């Protein structure tokens, strides 16, 4: 029996507890969802569970970039940049052009700054060459030209700006679409399902005992192989397998701010803070995204949040290139923080390598940590290949080859979808063009499913909050087809209400009633 999208939690729990799975993935962040998607494509019976929501922690607390990593050129890692560019362009062209969009970046060059125009000009030219000039040629422009793209740019001491191209996305929406792709390929998934113990057979980990956090139901899952992809919690689960397991990772906190934007920006800013660190100011969801910080974190991963010091640091660093009137505290609509999972060891976290760490425990459980959105498919494939080749072949020999470029659900031109949404109805009943564009760029062709909901119930076409483009059809669709079970699932990760500062008590109460949790 295959569990379809839209099945009830009870049906999914029943499927999880009665099927003998090949692979159980614990953790529904970047890594877990990618490996689950790959394993399902390879024809395996795979299950994925998460104690919170899919991408509910760090995976929805990124800088929202799909990028080659300009700063890696600084450390001479040309091969990594070229690799990142390949994945970035595949996502933008073949996998998710409805969710990943191009964005121009400026690197402002100030008098007395850490980098000169000649060095940065050469850097952005090499960067664009490594992407085969797919986003145009990196170049240096005048202060006047830079100001035309970023009206809030600070001009005192501005000598020039280097220009390059990258991409951006809404990480929560990409995560939900990846989970959906995995389920379409045959995976069984459940969020808000916490692992309370591991199943062992003759000392080998063969599954997990779980508790549904929403109603307390306890159940178990059996699998030939268990993958621990719990991100910042990876060592917590490793100690369930072996109480004496030594720490394998370190954590670095990255905080971001979202502010109201006072005028349109045609480009983002990458501002050098010192020789190695940069500060981003990125137009995103009609707002401005600022960040990020990079400091060691040793507290409870579930309690990570931006501090007053983080907020002050982000505003101060953004102020190197952004005028004060765009950095007012009263314009902050949202602040969030996530944890980078880094290899264990000495040294400063800011200098630690961003690499994937795979370890196998005494009970045979695989633990994997470290990942990023740009290369998440590549990392998922690498980890899956590692699982498939383990000694003893716990996943068996019958594993199909994974197709090189399976698109995410909804693949379509966002412009074409927005046009159809806008013109599909009588002129007097047409969808607001801003809402049409919002749905097209967050759902692709799946936006037509939401349009059908509105035709059946016109009230679902109303905005959830008058100041934002999210509509009630999105909340209903999130509940029925995107595993949204709590108010936060809807306002933070299925819509843009929280980032816009529009998840008011009244909005939250109405969504709770819609979900049946009010």
């Amino acid at each position: 029996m295959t569990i379809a999208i839209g099945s009830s939690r009870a049906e999914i729990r029943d499927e999880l507890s009665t099927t003998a799975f090949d692979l159980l993935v614990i953790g529904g962040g970047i890594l877990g969802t990618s490996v689950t998607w790959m394993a399902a494509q390879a024809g395996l019976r795979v299950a994925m569970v998460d104690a919170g929501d899919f991408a509910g922690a760090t995976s929805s607390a990124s800088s929202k970039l799909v990028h080659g990593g300009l700063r890696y050129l600084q450390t001479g890692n040309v091969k990594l940049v070229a690799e990142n560019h390949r994945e970035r362009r595949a996502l933008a062209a073949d996998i998710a052009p409805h969710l990943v969009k191009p964005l121009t970046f400026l690197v402002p060059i100030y008098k007395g700054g850490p980098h000169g125009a000649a060095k940065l000009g050469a850097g952005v030219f090499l960067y664009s060459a490594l992407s085969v000039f797919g986003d145009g040629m990196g170049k240096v422009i005048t202060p006047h030209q830079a100001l035309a793209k970023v009206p809030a740019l600070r001009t005192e001491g501005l000598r020039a700006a280097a220009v390059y191209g990258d991409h951006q996305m809404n990480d929560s929406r990409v995560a939900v679409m990846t989970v959906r792709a995995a389920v379409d390929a045959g995976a069984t998934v459940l969020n808000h399902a916490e692992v309370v113990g591991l199943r062992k057979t003759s000392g080998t980990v063969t599954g997990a005992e779980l508790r549904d956090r929403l109603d307390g139901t306890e159940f178990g899952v059996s699998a030939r192989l268990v993958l621990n992809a719990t991100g910042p919690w990876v060592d917590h689960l490793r100690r369930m397998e072996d109480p004496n397991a030594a720490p394998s990772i370190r954590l670095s906190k990255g905080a971001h701010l979202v502010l109201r934007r006072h005028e349109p920006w045609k480009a983002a800013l990458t501002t050098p803070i010192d020789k190695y660190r940069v500060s981003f100011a990125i137009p995103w969801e009609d707002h401005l995204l600022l960040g990020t910080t990079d400091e060691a974190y040793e507290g409870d991963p579930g309690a990570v949040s931006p501090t007053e010091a983080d907020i002050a640091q982000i505003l101060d660093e953004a102020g190197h290139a952004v005028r004060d009137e765009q950095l007012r505290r009263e314009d902050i609509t949202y602040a969030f923080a996530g944890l980078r999972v880094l290899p264990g060891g000495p040294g400063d976290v800011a200098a630690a390598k961003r690499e994937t760490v795979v370890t196998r425990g005494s009970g045979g459980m695989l633990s994997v940590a470290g990942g990023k959105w740009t290369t998440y498919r590549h990392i998922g494939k690498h980890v899956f290949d590692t699982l498939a080749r383990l000694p003893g072949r716990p996943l068996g020999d019958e594993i199909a080859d994974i197709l090189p470029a399976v698109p995410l659900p909804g693949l379509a031109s966002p412009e074409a979808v927005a046009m159809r949404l806008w013109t599909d109805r009588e002129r007097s009943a047409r969808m607001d063009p801003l809402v049409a564009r919002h749905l097209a760029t967050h759902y692709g062709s799946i936006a037509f499913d939401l349009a059908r909901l509105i035709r059946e119930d016109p009230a679902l076409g109303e905005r959830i909050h008058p100041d934002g483009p999210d509509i009630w059809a999105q909340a209903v669709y999130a509940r029925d087809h995107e595993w949204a079970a709590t108010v936060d699932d809807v306002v933070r990760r299925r819509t843009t209400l929280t980032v816009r500062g529009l998840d008011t008590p009244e909005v939250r109460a109405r969504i709770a009633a819609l979900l049946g949790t009010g």
Side-chain angles (χ1 to χ4, degrees):
M1 168 182 163
T2 301
I3 287 290
I5 288 170
S7 300
S8 72
R9 292 183 67 82
E11 288 173 310
I12 297 170
R13 285 197 307 257
D14 185 56
E15 169 77 358
L16 287 169
S17 56
T18 57
T19 301
F21 288 97
D22 296 310
L23 176 65
L24 168 62
V25 177
I26 302 171
I30 292 172
L31 265 174
T33 52
S34 182
V35 175
T36 301
W37 185 25
M38 298 301 160
Q41 287 181 53
L44 297 183
R45 289 166 300 182
V46 56
M48 180 179 75
V49 295
D50 193 288
D53 188 22
F54 303 125
T58 292
S59 297
S60 58
S62 77
S63 296
K64 324 299 182 189
L65 296 179
V66 179
H67 61 135
L70 180 66
R71 70 187 183 88
Y72 298 136
L73 289 181
Q74 179 83 352
T75 54
N77 205 334
V78 173
K79 182 169 176 281
L80 177 65
V81 175
E83 224 170 67
N84 288 353
H85 273 315
R86 268 197 305 279
E87 268 302 294
R88 174 177 72 89
R89 297 197 61 74
L91 282 170
D94 305 317
I95 312 297
H98 51 312
L99 305 172
V100 174
K101 67 175 188 179
L103 182 64
T104 300
F105 280 76
L106 303 186
V107 186
I109 301 160
Y110 288 99
K111 184 179 179 183
H115 307 294
K119 179 182 176 182
L120 277 171
V124 295
F125 179 82
L126 174 59
Y127 190 72
S128 56
L130 289 169
S131 72
V132 203
F133 300 110
D135 303 280
M137 189 183 293
K139 58 187 178 183
V140 175
I141 60 174
T142 66
H144 181 72
Q145 290 169 316
L147 196 62
K149 292 181 182 296
V150 181
L153 184 63
R154 192 181 284 281
T155 52
E156 302 88 345
L158 181 66
R159 292 191 154 170
V163 184
Y164 66 97
D166 260 330
H167 285 76
Q168 72 173 161
M169 48 108 185
N170 181 311
D171 48 14
S172 303
R173 294 298 315 163
V174 173
V176 168
M177 290 295 195
T178 306
V179 175
R180 183 175 174 135
V183 172
D184 285 346
T188 304
V189 305
L190 189 65
N191 52 359
H192 303 291
E194 179 182 11
V195 171
V196 293
L198 295 175
R199 287 185 170 181
K200 289 189 177 179
T201 308
S202 305
T204 300
V205 176
T206 54
E209 305 296 341
L210 293 114
R211 182 175 60 84
D212 189 321
R213 280 181 158 181
L214 301 183
D215 66 7
T217 302
E218 297 193 347
F219 62 104
V221 182
S222 292
R224 290 158 71 177
L225 185 66
V226 175
L227 178 69
N228 167 17
T230 53
W233 293 271
V234 70
D235 284 340
H236 169 73
L237 207 64
R238 288 177 64 246
R239 284 191 292 273
M240 272 192 195
E241 177 189 30
D242 175 4
N244 298 315
S248 65
I249 59 161
R250 301 183 285 163
L251 301 176
S252 161
K253 182 172 83 165
H256 293 80
L257 300 180
V258 182
L259 289 86
R260 292 181 197 89
R261 207 173 62 214
H262 299 303
E263 50 204 335
W265 284 36
K266 294 177 184 171
L269 294 178
T270 303
T271 305
I273 299 303
D274 54 36
K275 196 174 173 188
Y276 294 103
R277 284 197 66 244
V278 300
S279 166
F280 289 119
I282 302 166
W284 182 71
E285 299 294 6
D286 309 316
H287 284 60
L288 191 66
L289 177 70
L290 302 179
T292 179
T293 59
D294 194 347
E295 62 178 359
Y297 183 83
E298 293 176 353
D300 173 6
V304 66
S305 63
T307 61
E308 176 54 39
D310 293 329
I311 293 168
Q313 179 187 336
I314 292 168
L315 290 174
D316 176 62
E317 291 181 347
H320 287 214
V322 180
R323 289 208 302 268
D324 291 346
E325 55 265 34
Q326 177 55 76
L327 300 176
R328 297 185 311 211
R329 284 185 172 243
E330 57 265 35
D331 285 328
I332 296 173
T333 56
Y334 187 45
F336 61 93
L339 295 171
R340 303 175 190 88
V341 180
L342 306 172
D348 181 11
V349 289
K353 285 188 174 177
R354 277 25 176 191
E355 60 186 28
T356 308
V357 182
V358 183
T359 55
R360 194 170 194 188
S362 58
M365 180 173 73
L366 256 288
S367 293
V368 58
K372 59 180 180 179
W373 276 116
T374 301
T375 52
Y376 87 111
R377 285 188 328 132
H378 178 75
I379 294 169
K381 175 105 171 39
H382 166 70
V383 172
F384 177 69
D385 287 344
T386 303
L387 302 182
R389 291 197 303 265
L390 286 173
R393 303 297 286 257
L395 292 179
D397 296 314
E398 300 298 313
I399 297 176
D401 289 336
I402 296 167
L403 295 173
V406 175
L408 289 182
L411 179 76
S413 155
E415 292 79 11
V417 171
M419 183 62 71
R420 270 270 311 274
L421 289 172
W422 188 65
T423 58
D424 256 4
R425 292 155 76 182
E426 295 301 315
R427 191 175 291 274
S428 60
R430 276 186 175 169
M431 186 180 287
D432 182 318
L434 290 177
V435 172
R437 181 177 68 91
H438 174 72
L439 296 182
T441 55
H442 290 74
Y443 297 85
S445 62
I446 291 171
F448 299 133
D449 294 343
L450 279 79
R452 274 191 287 278
L453 290 176
I454 297 167
R455 278 199 295 275
E456 291 161 11
D457 180 359
L460 296 181
E462 293 173 13
R463 295 185 187 217
I464 297 174
H465 188 288
D467 294 340
D470 294 294
I471 57 173
W472 284 104
Q474 290 175 256
V476 169
Y477 194 82
R479 178 194 67 191
D480 296 344
H481 299 282
E482 292 183 342
W483 306 279
T486 71
V487 172
D488 263 359
D489 294 351
V490 175
V491 297
R492 274 196 60 208
R493 290 176 290 275
R494 306 303 188 279
T495 67
T496 62
L497 290 161
T498 296
V499 298
R500 296 172 189 273
L502 304 178
D503 57 341
T504 62
E506 184 198 359
V507 162
R508 294 181 75 94
R510 287 185 67 187
I511 289 173
L514 183 79
L515 296 172
T517 60

